[in-house]
Amino acid sequence: MRRSLPRSVTLAAVLLAGCDFYYDRVPSPDDLLKLVPWFDHMIQSPAVHPYESASVPRNTVPGTVPIDRVEGDWGAAWNGGQFAVADGIKNPLTDASVIARGDTLYHIYCGVCHGQAGAANGTVGPRMGAPSLLTAQARGRSDGHIYSLIRYGRGVMPRYGDKIPSADARWAVVTYVRKLQADAPVAEGHD
């Protein structure tokens, strides 16, 4: 007479032999975090209330009146070669307190093409054909024109309005460019 193993031993052997079925179904801690609808610290995130900050660029809806320093959109006119709107814009940040911020932003975004001092001798500038910011023509541009170049781009200059989204930050760059121009002699050539 042959003896068989007890059923519990047989069941345990089957379960232990097929451990992979359990391993593949263990929930990940990442999946568990998705079940929590809200954390207390999330209310501090700028993504929760994106339009409560003045640093978010917003264009006004056509036919409405902007309030609270929301700038309009003159991109269509700018891209069409009509510079009257851009040339009419005045720099609201002309004091020296913004030069340090403009210096930092210029060296992050502009120096690679226009060079450390604006002479178009940056790492990429000569290959791209970046213009010097120190020529008489560049100095003759209005602050609004330089601001529009930063915001919308033109020619070989790419658009930086999405990379420097704050209007005050773009004006700080314009103020710093004016400082570079004041500190250097007029360069030969054109921009």
Side-chain angles (χ1 to χ4, degrees), residues 17-131:
C19 286
D20 287 342
F21 86 93
Y22 177 73
Y23 179 80
D24 292 334
R25 294 184 187 181
V26 173
S28 164
D30 295 335
D31 294 332
L32 295 175
L33 286 176
K34 293 176 187 173
L35 298 176
V36 178
W38 193 260
F39 287 109
D40 290 340
H41 70 278
M42 288 178 165
I43 194 68
Q44 303 299 324
S45 169
V48 175
H49 306 286
Y51 296 109
E52 289 183 8
S53 170
S55 66
V56 177
R58 291 179 282 172
N59 296 325
T60 56
V61 178
T64 61
V65 178
I67 60 169
D68 196 24
R69 291 187 62 188
V70 176
E71 62 185 354
D73 185 9
W74 60 94
W78 175 261
N79 292 330
Q82 300 169 357
F83 305 131
V85 174
D87 288 336
I89 300 170
K90 303 295 180 213
N91 187 347
L93 307 175
T94 56
D95 58 346
S97 65
V98 298
I99 290 180
R101 184 175 185 202
D103 180 357
T104 301
L105 292 169
Y106 176 88
H107 286 93
I108 291 171
Y109 296 105
C110 313
V112 69
C113 288
H114 294 287
Q116 299 299 310
N121 58 355
T123 309
V124 181
R127 293 181 192 146
M128 298 295 296

Side-chain angles (χ1 to χ4, degrees), residues 87-174:
D87 288 336
I89 300 170
K90 303 295 180 213
N91 187 347
L93 307 175
T94 56
D95 58 346
S97 65
V98 298
I99 290 180
R101 184 175 185 202
D103 180 357
T104 301
L105 292 169
Y106 176 88
H107 286 93
I108 291 171
Y109 296 105
C110 313
V112 69
C113 288
H114 294 287
Q116 299 299 310
N121 58 355
T123 309
V124 181
R127 293 181 192 146
M128 298 295 296
S132 171
L133 302 175
L134 307 177
T135 63
Q137 187 176 7
R139 291 170 194 255
R141 299 285 186 200
S142 69
D143 287 352
H145 192 94
I146 296 171
Y147 180 88
S148 298
L149 279 169
I150 296 168
R151 183 173 179 193
Y152 296 114
R154 184 148 182 86
V156 296
M157 170 78 177
R159 174 187 182 126
Y160 276 87
D162 56 340
K163 296 160 194 68
I164 308 174
S166 161
D168 287 347
R170 291 190 292 264
W171 282 119
V173 172
V174 171

